[in-house]
Amino acid sequence: MSGDPKLSRGYRNRNPGNIEHLPTNKWLGLETPPSDGRFCRFRSHQHGIRALALLLQSYQDRHGLRTVRGIVARWAPSSENDTRAYQAAVAARLGVGLDDPIDLHDAATMRGLVEAVIRHELGGMPYAPETIAEGLRMAGLVQPGLAHSGTVRAAAGSVVAGVTAAAVVDAVTTLAPHAEGLAAVLRALGPWGVAAAVIGVAAWTIHQRLQRQREVTR
């Protein structure tokens, strides 16, 4: 594909991986209607990036695919794609051999793979780095060092300051779909997120108890 990537079908659908819609796959952030007849439509580009990362991750976790050759062969079968060219392009962008093992739970590796897939699917990179990073964060992938950044500290602080269960629930709901259990969610939240969640829930519990006491004494 060539030309302006923002004119591509995948960009219009906010689905940069061109993920096909299956009613059984209840992706977070699906638009209404959820497809254009074949491909998923998402409410935001970040939701589309999130789905792309999680689907690729499932290739490793569920199907044991750990090389560019194997991952791309499943992602872009030769019945519809020039799979060899796709594999070569992805491997070159990642700087690995076709049969070198890669870890899709490593945030930096996944970011490289996601960006390579987007470039191939859309014919270029239409997204700012921050958009890619947010989509990966929603998928539970944060590169080392980000957990100590001012942005994450501010987000954690907002949960504590809000002192509402809703803030905690929203954070966990964003991360939980397709995550492999609570451990994956906690890893995704990171130390600041976990601390904020614990404090937020404790504060909300105290607030609820005080509220009930006030109602009893009325």
Side-chain angles (χ1 to χ4, degrees):
M1 182 182 293
S2 60
D4 185 351
K6 290 188 177 181
L7 299 179
S8 66
R9 185 179 188 177
Y11 188 86
R12 293 196 306 272
N13 287 336
R14 294 172 289 279
N15 176 8
N18 284 320
I19 298 171
E20 293 194 28
H21 175 65
L22 295 175
T24 53
N25 288 345
K26 307 296 185 182
W27 291 112
L28 183 70
L30 281 175
E31 184 62 279
T32 303
S35 81
D36 66 1
R38 179 182 178 185
F39 297 103
C40 292
R41 297 174 65 244
F42 290 97
R43 290 198 300 267
S44 74
H45 294 287
Q46 291 89 338
H47 281 102
I49 293 166
R50 171 190 180 276
L52 167 57
L54 289 173
L55 186 54
L56 287 170
Q57 205 170 65
S58 76
Y59 286 7
Q60 174 179 307
D61 296 343
R62 299 180 186 177
H63 305 287
L65 301 175
R66 296 175 178 272
T67 67
V68 169
R69 189 189 301 278
I71 291 165
V72 175
R74 185 177 180 87
W75 182 268
S78 57
S79 58
E80 293 187 337
N81 302 272
D82 185 346
T83 304
R84 289 186 178 180
Y86 205 145
Q87 290 165 330
V90 171
R93 287 202 168 273
L94 287 176
V96 300
L98 289 175
D99 297 309
D100 290 343
I102 59 175
D103 180 8
L104 299 188
H105 287 280
D106 176 74
T109 300
M110 178 60 87
R111 178 164 189 149
L113 179 58
V114 162
E115 291 182 350
V117 168
I118 290 174
R119 287 181 182 278
H120 204 85
E121 293 287 337
L122 304 188
M125 175 52 70
Y127 300 117
E130 295 78 11
T131 303
I132 299 289
E134 177 61 13
L136 294 179
R137 185 201 65 77
M138 291 168 65
L141 289 153
V142 180
Q143 289 186 240
L146 186 57
H148 302 290
S149 71
T151 301
V152 174
R153 284 197 181 98
S158 68
V159 176
V160 177
V163 191
T164 65
V168 177
V169 171
D170 285 347
V172 174
T173 300
T174 299
L175 296 167
H178 303 281
E180 297 297 327
L182 180 59
V185 176
L186 294 178
R187 285 197 301 271
L189 281 172
W192 279 92
V194 172
V198 170
I199 293 170
V201 170
W204 176 77
T205 302
I206 293 170
H207 172 76
Q208 290 295 97
R209 288 177 180 174
L210 291 174
Q211 185 69 23
R212 285 195 296 269
Q213 288 174 3
R214 282 196 293 269
E215 290 175 355
V216 169
T217 57
R218 284 176 182 174

